[in-house]
Amino acid sequence: VAGGQGWATAVASGRGVALTGLAPSTDSQEQAVRIAQAVSGVAVVENRSELLPIASPYVWSARRSGPTVTVGGNVPSEGVRAAVLAAARRALPEAAIQDEMILARGAPASFVAATAFSLENLANLIEGTITLTDGTLAVSGTAIDPHAYAGARAAFMSALPANVALGPLDVLPARADPAHLAPGQHQA
């Protein structure tokens, strides 16, 4: 079905149309029905679509471990999934991106901005996890270097997107490289 309703499938039989698919919202279902009803020659539209399940709490995460970034948890639509994966590729172009997200309704209004912000700042961590639970971000990990440590902490403390709260912030400074320690100096 056209009109941004890529989730819907329309099957015509005579002058009737049956809509099926997994809709991200009741508004999307209603819009798909209106689009089908507007097609010339269609007399009856039967809505057989279903709604995505509601996730509560609505949880999304991005985890960086070495060269791999895994995005998981809930995502509200295939379009938003594509946007999140594109943001991950922009923020971490050298990383292997693994998609473990599942479709669900219930995303906070700030979801797209919060996930993009999270991925941009995950780039400052050599390893770590950023979790968005409803509208609250929790961060844990180790910074890439001292500059990234200061930048990450500052961003999370003062540059959060609108309608996003900061939960636990546990970012550790970069670990010292044992090869660069002075003689007799030990890593803490």
Side-chain angles (χ1 to χ4, degrees):
V1 175
Q5 303 306 312
W7 59 267
T9 301
V11 177
S13 177
R15 295 189 58 193
V17 172
L19 294 176
T20 60
L22 202 52
S25 68
T26 55
D27 289 344
S28 294
Q29 281 180 312
E30 292 166 3
Q31 185 176 4
V33 168
R34 283 193 302 274
I35 291 167
Q37 288 171 333
V39 173
S40 178
V42 171
V44 177
V45 175
E46 183 180 356
N47 182 7
R48 296 182 192 162
S49 67
E50 297 179 23
L51 287 170
L52 290 173
I54 293 178
S56 183
Y58 203 88
V59 179
W60 173 90
S61 67
R63 182 180 69 248
R64 184 174 190 178
S65 180
T68 304
V69 172
T70 304
V71 288
N74 306 121
V75 66
S77 69
E78 290 296 343
V80 173
R81 177 193 305 271
V84 168
L85 294 172
R89 287 186 207 97
R90 277 191 307 276
L92 299 140
E94 303 297 317
I97 308 296
Q98 293 183 345
D99 176 8
E100 295 181 0
M101 295 180 286
I102 56 173
L103 294 170
R105 292 182 293 145
S110 58
F111 184 83
V112 172
T115 56
F117 174 83
S118 297
L119 290 162
E120 289 168 11
N121 286 285
L122 187 61
N124 289 322
L125 304 179
I126 190 82
E127 62 184 24
T129 302
I130 300 176
T131 303
L132 175 66
T133 303
D134 294 323
T136 302
L137 282 176
V139 185
S140 65
T142 304
I144 291 174
D145 58 36
H147 178 62
Y149 173 73
R153 290 192 61 83
F156 285 110
M157 297 300 281
S158 64
L160 288 171
N163 300 314
V164 176
L166 181 61
L169 177 60
D170 185 19
V171 177
L172 302 174
R175 293 186 186 114
D177 182 349
H180 294 97
L181 294 175
Q185 186 179 13
H186 299 282
Q187 192 170 357

